[in-house]
Amino acid sequence: VQLVESGGAVAQAGGSLTLSCVVSGVSIEHTGVAWFRQAPGKEREGVSLSRRGGSTSYNDLVKGRFTMTRDNSKGTVYLQMNALKPEDTAVYSCAVGEARYGFWGPYDYWGQGTQVTVSS
């Protein structure tokens, strides 16, 4: 199983980025997929979760600005990030698992992450 994130870049505050996570080796159709982020010196935090039932939830810090979508046929999930803020700067990673406890998991597989830097 492999998860590969891409799309990270340097963006201006107020700008937009779209991240992608390609999952191979397991079908995402019947599992949860989540985005997490970790900023320097801070703990990892959940950003968004797409449950296998189809519902999506977001961290309050990104609600209304970020949108997570999935394309099960391509084994890919996306994170559209708008109105970026400097505090969104972090390494963003995706994870796959049952996620019955939401951001607390469980998650079986993780990607290496992609760096997002937002300048003011």
Side-chain angles (χ1 to χ4, degrees), residues 26-111:
V26 65
S27 172
I28 66 170
E29 184 174 3
H30 301 295
T31 190
V33 188
W35 283 99
F36 290 84
R37 68 185 183 185
Q38 187 165 20
K42 295 187 176 181
E43 292 190 359
R44 184 174 61 201
E45 63 181 0
V47 175
S48 60
L49 166 62
S50 174
R51 295 178 177 80
R52 61 182 179 178
S55 64
T56 305
S57 56
Y58 298 90
N59 185 315
D60 285 345
L61 295 173
V62 306
K63 199 173 294 183
R65 300 188 296 123
F66 291 10
T67 302
M68 181 177 183
T69 57
R70 63 158 76 192
D71 185 334
N72 291 334
S73 66
K74 295 182 178 179
T76 304
V77 295
Y78 305 93
L79 185 67
Q80 173 67 44
M81 306 187 296
N82 298 327
L84 285 164
K85 303 176 180 180
E87 50 264 45
D88 294 321
T89 295
V91 174
Y92 285 71
S93 303
C94 56
V96 170
E98 186 180 352
R100 63 181 179 273
Y101 300 116
F103 290 137
W104 291 271
Y107 295 97
D108 302 306
Y109 306 103
W110 294 80

